[in-house]
Amino acid sequence: LTDLTDRLAKCHDPRKKTERRVPAKYVQFPMYSTSKVHGNYVDCVRFMGDFVLSKSVEDEIKLWSGRYPEKTKLTRMPNHTFRSLGVYKCSGCDVWWIRFGMDYHMRHLAVGNRAGMVFIWDITRPNTNGSAAPLVKLSTNEVSIVRQVAFDYDANHIVAVCDNSTVYVWRRGTAKRGNGVLMKSSSVKGSSVKG
């Protein structure tokens, strides 16, 4: 990273009117690689501190940690080991291109599915038996794939987008239902705009 920072600093000098290109550096092999976490397509991945959250089309999101080498001169593609830290089961997520979301403080994890449901977990709670049950399940009341979800900064709102061009927004309520917080919903049907 220091090398990249130095290269970027050299390419742009605010006193000069012309910019130079960043010199390219060729790296043949990654510092870490594994094909052991999932057995099928992985369509969403994110760092959570030093850990990794990844979702495949196997109806689950996995929290795991890799064993990254400090400095290694690689001569071939590595396939390193990993340590599983948790599994978040999400039925109906067996189709390609469904993105999970996390709140800014990395306490809540959410993902939609092909049946119009949104699952929310509190990832600060430990997994029991290696798998965590969702804290809250939300429904769009439509059978349309929820492709992506996102939280606002303080996790008081969650937004979900569906294949049928509908955007759903839920606001955190004050009433408790079971072990979760009741979310109030509203939706906006998308439309094409000709310009």
Side-chain angles (χ1 to χ4, degrees), residues 34 37-45 53-58 64 96-97 99-100:
T34 185
V37 177
H38 296 284
N40 209 324
Y41 296 108
V42 176
D43 61 358
C44 193
V45 65
L53 275 166
S54 56
K55 182 196 142 310
S56 74
V57 294
E58 300 166 314
W64 56 278
W96 181 253
W97 200 262
R99 303 288 190 239
F100 64 78

Side-chain angles (χ1 to χ4, degrees), residues 45 55 78 84 86-87 99 105 113 131 133:
V45 65
K55 182 196 142 310
S84 180
V87 177
R99 303 288 190 239
H105 302 287
N113 72 1
S131 181

Side-chain angles (χ1 to χ4, degrees), residues 34-177:
T34 185
S35 59
K36 298 174 183 175
V37 177
H38 296 284
N40 209 324
Y41 296 108
V42 176
D43 61 358
C44 193
V45 65
R46 175 178 180 151
F47 274 109
M48 192 179 105
D50 291 336
F51 306 130
V52 177
L53 275 166
S54 56
K55 182 196 142 310
S56 74
V57 294
E58 300 166 314
D59 288 342
E60 60 189 18
I61 300 169
K62 291 185 178 181
L63 177 64
W64 56 278
S65 173
R67 294 190 174 93
Y68 311 120
E70 284 298 319
K71 286 191 176 184
T72 306
K73 189 147 188 140
L74 298 174
T75 56
R76 62 181 179 81
M77 181 66 95
N79 194 3
H80 294 96
T81 60
F82 73 98
R83 182 173 55 123
S84 180
L85 302 170
V87 177
Y88 303 91
K89 298 276 186 191
C90 42
S91 62
C93 290
D94 55 350
V95 294
W96 181 253
W97 200 262
I98 294 179
R99 303 288 190 239
F100 64 78
M102 292 186 70
D103 69 320
Y104 176 81
H105 302 287
M106 296 187 176
R107 290 186 204 122
H108 297 96
L109 170 68
V111 69
N113 72 1
R114 63 178 152 75
M117 299 290 296
V118 175
F119 305 99
I120 303 173
W121 293 269
D122 179 348
I123 56 177
T124 61
R125 294 182 182 183
N127 278 338
T128 55
N129 301 329
S131 181
L135 178 68
V136 178
K137 291 181 186 178
L138 305 173
S139 176
T140 62
N141 294 321
E142 294 185 45
V143 181
S144 181
I145 300 174
V146 177
R147 291 291 181 180
Q148 186 171 1
V149 295
F151 290 92
D152 68 348
Y153 174 77
D154 54 4
N156 282 329
H157 295 85
I158 186 170
V159 62
V161 293
C162 299
D163 270 0
N164 67 358
S165 73
T166 305
V167 175
Y168 289 89
V169 178
W170 289 273
R171 180 177 51 234
R172 184 188 305 252
T174 56
K176 296 276 184 177
R177 182 179 67 193

Side-chain angles (χ1 to χ4, degrees), residues 12-31:
H12 178 69
D13 185 348
R15 296 170 289 182
K16 295 181 181 177
K17 297 208 184 229
T18 60
E19 290 188 35
R20 292 179 283 167
R21 293 185 178 177
V22 178
K25 185 172 183 176
Y26 180 73
V27 178
Q28 185 173 359
F29 299 107
M31 64 174 255

